[in-house]
Amino acid sequence: GCQSISAPMLLGRDAEPWARRGGLFGELQALLPVGNSCDLFYHPPPLFPSSQVYLLRPLLPLDKVGAAALKLPQVLQAQLSHAPPLPGRLLGSFLSLSPEYTFVLEDEDGPCGYAAGALHAEGFLQQRDSSWLPAIRHKYPPELGTGGAALGQEAVLFFHAEPLAVPQPVLRRFPSLVQLGTAPRVLDVGASRSLALCLLSALRANGSRGVFCQVSDTDRQQLSFYSKLG
């Protein structure tokens, strides 16, 4: 049942040390990367009943045949003639530098969401800026974005803009970086929450004690997406 259950508590003094109130549910809850998982477990009924089934899986080697080969959300599938594809723009650094923390959400029509993370964000960002970005900038010089479609210009200029530095207090308190997204057809918030839990659990299992994400204050779609996740 998806009821509000407090954090797992040990039973009486005579109980076995592994015994927790709630049985297997309590054991699993103790492994989750959140202090109070009630909000994540509580999924309100959908507005429209659906029999849609989702598959949540890690990134496979076949997915990495170039960033454009990862057919993720529809908004990421744009292929531009002389500009880097949007999957490369949004996920390229994660696919190259942190593929072990990348997960894919699929429905009957194929991949429809992704979750990507970097366990040690500070080292990840340094490596991105020192090696990955220069290689991408060499591959896609700024003149490729001139005279093309607005989306193509935006994609090229994205790589040539200096990334914003993350303040050290943020990195000390939240040492891991995450990024998530789903296609517009994914209306079930529960699927997005499961995607987030999968990534957060993987990071926590390897020692992370906090995560942060970078979102533009003008990107209402992403702000709404993360707000729904809580």
Side-chain angles (χ1 to χ4, degrees):
C2 300
Q3 301 176 359
S4 296
I5 301 176
S6 59
M9 297 177 61
L10 288 174
L11 296 175
R13 183 176 302 177
D14 297 332
E16 295 292 338
W18 48 264
R20 293 175 180 268
R21 187 175 65 189
L24 180 60
F25 179 88
E27 292 289 336
L28 293 175
Q29 187 177 355
L31 298 177
L32 292 176
V34 288
N36 187 348
S37 57
C38 299
D39 292 338
L40 290 170
F41 273 122
Y42 175 68
H43 295 167
L47 296 178
F48 304 99
S50 172
S51 59
Q52 179 65 59
V53 177
Y54 293 97
L55 171 66
L56 181 57
R57 62 171 176 82
L59 184 74
L60 300 177
L62 292 178
D63 294 322
K64 290 190 61 182
V65 185
L70 189 59
K71 298 178 181 178
L72 289 172
Q74 294 175 355
V75 293
L76 305 181
Q77 291 181 3
Q79 297 291 329
L80 307 172
S81 57
H82 296 292
L86 287 181
R89 168 186 163 185
L90 297 174
L91 289 174
S93 56
F94 290 99
L95 296 176
S96 299
L97 306 176
S98 186
E100 64 273 21
Y101 294 105
T102 305
F103 300 89
V104 179
L105 182 70
E106 288 186 349
D107 60 11
E108 57 186 9
D109 295 324
C112 58
Y114 72 94
L119 182 61
H120 303 291
E122 186 171 11
F124 171 84
L125 295 175
Q126 290 175 353
Q127 192 174 0
R128 180 200 66 182
D129 297 344
S130 63
S131 61
W132 185 80
L133 263 181
I136 290 295
R137 288 169 176 172
H138 177 74
K139 183 177 181 180
Y140 300 105
E143 54 266 22
L144 287 182
T146 60
L151 187 59
Q153 295 177 2
E154 180 186 356
V156 172
L157 295 178
F158 173 83
F159 290 119
H160 291 273
E162 288 300 321
L164 296 177
V166 180
Q168 281 297 320
V170 174
L171 292 173
R172 285 194 295 267
R173 185 175 179 184
F174 309 101
S176 301
L177 173 65
V178 298
Q179 181 175 297
L180 299 95
T182 58
R185 69 176 186 267
V186 180
L187 304 178
D188 186 359
V189 179
S192 302
R193 288 177 172 173
S194 297
L195 190 63
L197 267 178
C198 185
L199 174 59
L200 295 176
S201 298
L203 291 170
R204 183 182 180 181
N206 287 277
S208 177
R209 63 181 186 278
V211 304
F212 73 95
C213 59
Q214 293 177 296
V215 185
S216 170
D217 57 359
T218 60
D219 192 339
R220 295 184 177 181
Q221 182 178 359
Q222 278 293 89
L223 290 173
S224 174
F225 175 77
Y226 286 115
S227 297
K228 290 179 180 178
L229 292 181

